[in-house]
Amino acid sequence: MEGECWIDRESSGCEFRDARLGDRFRKLLSQIGSAMGQSIPLVCQDWANTKAAYRFFSNDRVSEADILAGHFQSTRDRATATEGLVLVLHDTTEFSYQREKSEAIGITKSINSGRDKAGRLRSHTVCGILMHSSLAVTTEGVPLGLAAVKFWTRKKFKGTAALKKKINPTRIPIEKKESVRWLENLKQSTQLLDHPGRCIHTGDRESDIYELFCAAQEIGTHFLIRTCVDRLAGDGDHTIVDEMDEVAVKGLHRIEVRDSNGDPVQAVLEIRYRKIRILPPIGKQKRYPALTLTVIHAKEPGTPKNRKKIDWKLITDLPVGSRTDAIEKLEWYGLRWKIEVFHKILKSGCKAEESKLRTAQRLTNLISLFCILSWRVFWMTMLNRSAPGATPTLALTATEVGVLDRLVNDKPKARRKTLSHHLTKIARLGGYLARASDPPPGNTVLWRGLSRLIDIPVGAMVGRRIGGPPDAYQALMVQSYRMIRRMPYGTRHHDRRRQSVEQYK
């Protein structure tokens, strides 16, 4: 089908052990993508398709690697087609589930439950799955796709605080710790994108791992990390903080932030940077070499009102020779927020935490499929802002463009029919008002609009198949569109289609 062009592109590299599994995967991608956030029985419509979906997710011959293989290949193709550097954003998120027994899924963490009647602290474990993802984006913030994903869960939880009472964590080999996932994803994503010198791996303070710095140097790629560890520097007689305290302010940088009330305010940052010889942890100095890296410190003088003080410390192997270079690196690190948005779409748009599947294997397979759908929504949102004048067929099929042109009226001052023009029409289906003062549409209205865009031609197609003339078919499409716009979000999709057919009768 023409409407499944993007599905073919994101699944062409998948190699399932059985061709029927590949067919079912593409069908599920289409079904779930047309109703993001809805349950599997709802999107599958009948018991036969629902049972087939459950069997697919529980099949031992299906894994997250099989599901994401085609998307990884498409990510590489998109990265090859773009120019300039590629930022690879790394982060970990967790999916929590309400289950009476957590054994079939596992646990993620232990949290404080308050105190009992005797005043003793209580705690309980949270049932769920952790996911460490690596998202490739351009320096303009356009998501090219996932480059690596790792899922895991825990049988029992050992907190860091408890671990520190028995042994120094810095003396434990990285291979025996969960943090090895940062190194694995760095290597996997670099190998996938096939151009180490072009990649800049970015992470928050959790990624401040000396072994990661060494791994990046070993494979010839780059990193830009927010640091939180005051490591030994120079000859080992002082630390990074000691050395940075001696650095004079190299320049000022003005940025716009929001206070606790959400109002925009101006903030002025003092920029410092220096190239420093940094030593590995004492217990690992025989295994890892000293590295010469650059530390960038952006700090806001004074204490602002109604918001937290800005104090960023970044560490990188990239050259920084001027204030402009330092600001560029700060702006690149600011794009790390994009992976948080991607995770938000997974949880709010796809509603990954509302699934009722019972085992970790089934859930990871489902979340892997959600990852592809979430990327597409995010990609379209950012394309609308970075390349508004592009041709509509870059992200939409000819059928989708035709339906939008026929059913969603153009604004009086509409320009030529560009990608932005049609993505705004989709957003209008999702509740976007498209006023002159409104910012570009966001992810929420786009995923709502995409779901409704699928319903309109489907409802009309059903009417045509029961014998209606062409003019009645056209009228039914208009009726379907108007009816769906009036419905509250969350109305069952099969009810919409049935009602449109009943009107035609």
Side-chain angles (χ1 to χ4, degrees), residues 27-45:
K27 186 170 184 177
L28 283 171
L29 201 57
S30 175
Q31 291 174 324
I32 298 176
S34 67
M36 283 183 62
Q38 303 297 338
S39 67
I40 292 177
L42 193 151
V43 300
C44 290
Q45 297 292 297

Side-chain angles (χ1 to χ4, degrees), residues 78-80 82-88 136-142 144 193 195-202 221-222 224 318-319 328-329 332 335:
R78 283 185 286 269
T80 302
T82 59
E83 298 180 354
L85 299 171
V86 175
L87 303 178
V88 185
V137 304
T138 66
T139 51
E140 290 77 33
V142 178
L144 302 174
L193 298 175
H195 202 308
R198 191 183 170 200
C199 299
I200 302 174
H201 298 269
T202 304
T221 192
H222 304 289
L224 178 63
L318 297 167
E328 179 184 55
K329 305 306 180 290
W332 288 349
L335 292 174

Side-chain angles (χ1 to χ4, degrees), residues 11-151:
S11 62
S12 61
C14 295
E15 296 182 358
F16 291 95
R17 299 183 187 180
D18 190 319
R20 292 171 295 182
L21 293 174
D23 294 339
R24 177 57 58 181
F25 167 63
R26 284 184 285 274
K27 186 170 184 177
L28 283 171
L29 201 57
S30 175
Q31 291 174 324
I32 298 176
S34 67
M36 283 183 62
Q38 303 297 338
S39 67
I40 292 177
L42 193 151
V43 300
C44 290
Q45 297 292 297
D46 57 52
W47 173 232
N49 278 312
T50 301
K51 184 166 61 173
Y54 287 148
R55 285 178 174 174
F56 175 84
F57 291 122
S58 62
N59 196 316
D60 292 335
R61 296 182 296 171
V62 175
S63 68
E64 63 267 22
D66 298 324
I67 292 172
L68 289 168
H71 176 68
F72 288 158
Q73 179 176 302
S74 295
T75 298
R76 180 180 59 197
D77 294 340
R78 283 185 286 269
T80 302
T82 59
E83 298 180 354
L85 299 171
V86 175
L87 303 178
V88 185
L89 314 178
H90 302 266
D91 197 21
T92 303
T93 190
E94 64 180 56
F95 300 90
S96 300
Y97 299 96
Q98 296 291 333
R99 300 288 191 274
E100 291 185 5
K101 296 182 179 180
S102 62
E103 289 79 5
I105 295 177
I107 58 178
T108 59
K109 62 184 177 182
S110 176
I111 62 175
N112 189 358
S113 304
R115 295 181 181 273
D116 58 17
K117 294 182 179 180
R120 294 170 295 189
L121 285 173
R122 296 181 300 178
S123 64
H124 72 274
T125 54
V126 177
C127 175
I129 294 172
L130 295 115
M131 181 183 81
H132 187 71
S133 51
S134 304
L135 181 69
V137 304
T138 66
T139 51
E140 290 77 33
V142 178
L144 302 174
L146 289 169
V149 172
K150 179 178 176 58
F151 292 96

Side-chain angles (χ1 to χ4, degrees), residues 12 77 98 101 105 127-128 217 266 270 290 319 368 388 392 430 457 467-468 473 479 487 492:
S12 61
D77 294 340
Q98 296 291 333
K101 296 182 179 180
I105 295 177
C127 175
Q217 185 184 61
Q266 295 287 325
E270 295 178 345
S368 298
Y473 166 63
Q479 290 173 1
M487 287 183 176
R492 289 179 176 268

